[in-house]
Amino acid sequence: MRRLSYELPLNCEIVCLGDTHIGSVLHYRKGLEKVIDYIAADPSRYWLHMGDMIEAIRTDDPRFDAGTVSEPIPMRQAADVISVFSRIADRGIVMLDGNHELKLHRYGSLGQYMADSLGIQYGTYSSVVSFLHDGSLLFRGFFWHGPASGSINSHAKDYEQRMANMRAAIKMRMKYKMGDCAVMMMGHIHKMLIVEPTPQLYLRDAGRDGIKQDYLKGTQHGKWIDPDLRWYAATGSFYRLYPGAGKNVSSYAEIAGYDPVELGCVVVTLQDGLIEGVRPFIV
């Protein structure tokens, strides 16, 4: 865990992307380039990486399959990350480690190497970032690669119920991790899920005006933010279920029987310093 800070303008976007798995033939380069082009096109767009930047499976690892990698050497995969993100490095907020980078921890920190090479703050596996404007706090965000020991799924028969179950699950996974963060995000599970604040209805005694209705109202910063009034998200991925044309290999997701997921990331929008929303960026 690292505690970091970053200065932002009052009107901007933060593109939260992760699980790019560069080096795998399942990595969706066209989708990643679309996001990078989007960030590069406007100086008010910032970004952060949620980890699993590279595939990072050694050639002598039992999991290694030459057919599933476009570049088998982790250091060359890291060099590709540095090259791909170099043109937007000046607006990079933080880069996290993922479980794939951590598999090679005995050889050093590839996550820190990539972040340092780009001049971006290194966030370890999770970070709390205080977003500032002219030194004043706007809000804090909790960014976590995710539960390395498992995924988040639902076996409900109805699609809407499955989505609701998974959104509830990511909220439960994160809401106790940090109490003062208005935005809480995780990667790793390759799903794109967004949970909006829920301003719940209540009644109050308004004296001569009788009984009035109102809604719970949150704040963007403070010692404690009501968990129901925060934003939560799982930030998607750039890892395809099936490879592109001409690649006759099977992904681990295909073998495990996973269903397809939306490829892309999520975007936080700030308007006059306030969190206006979190939306999907589907590629």
Side-chain angles (χ1 to χ4, degrees), residues 93-277:
I93 296 167
V94 63
M95 297 178 79
L96 302 183
D97 271 326
N99 54 293
H100 278 245
E101 284 89 9
L102 290 181
K103 285 289 185 181
L104 300 180
H105 68 92
R106 293 179 181 85
Y107 303 93
S109 175
L110 279 173
Q112 184 166 10
Y113 167 73
M114 288 182 278
D116 288 351
S117 297
L118 287 164
I120 296 170
Q121 297 180 105
Y122 167 60
T124 67
Y125 201 81
S126 60
S127 287
V128 172
V129 181
S130 297
F131 292 99
L132 313 172
H133 178 73
D134 290 340
S136 297
L137 179 65
L138 298 176
F139 69 98
R140 291 188 175 92
F142 174 75
F143 304 100
W144 172 47
H145 178 64
S149 60
S151 187
I152 287 178
N153 295 298
S154 172
H155 299 291
K157 294 180 181 179
D158 179 74
Y159 173 78
E160 292 297 333
Q161 187 63 59
R162 288 200 304 274
M163 298 303 292
N165 290 349
M166 290 189 288
R167 290 189 181 104
I170 67 167
K171 181 175 178 179
M172 286 300 299
R173 282 277 192 169
M174 290 188 282
K175 71 178 185 177
Y176 297 120
K177 301 281 193 292
M178 199 61 58
D180 60 351
C181 291
V183 171
M184 308 192 80
M185 296 197 175
M186 61 183 283
H188 181 65
I189 64 172
H190 290 204
K191 295 181 174 71
M192 200 184 309
L193 302 165
I194 296 171
V195 182
E196 299 182 4
T198 51
Q200 298 173 41
L201 174 70
Y202 67 92
L203 300 179
R204 60 183 176 84
D205 186 342
R208 292 180 179 178
D209 292 330
I211 303 299
K212 293 287 188 179
Q213 68 178 23
D214 212 334
Y215 294 89
L216 292 179
K217 294 181 176 65
T219 177
Q220 286 195 176
H221 56 81
K223 291 183 178 179
W224 172 254
I225 298 173
D226 188 313
D228 290 333
L229 300 176
R230 307 175 197 167
W231 288 90
Y232 303 85
T235 56
S237 81
F238 296 82
Y239 185 92
R240 295 175 295 187
L241 179 61
Y242 303 119
K247 301 290 185 181
N248 299 316
V249 297
S250 298
S251 71
Y252 78 86
E254 176 187 352
I255 294 167
Y258 295 158
D259 290 329
V261 293
E262 292 173 317
L263 301 179
C265 55
V266 302
V267 181
V268 180
T269 301
L270 264 66
Q271 185 71 38
D272 297 326
L274 300 175
I275 302 168
E276 187 177 68

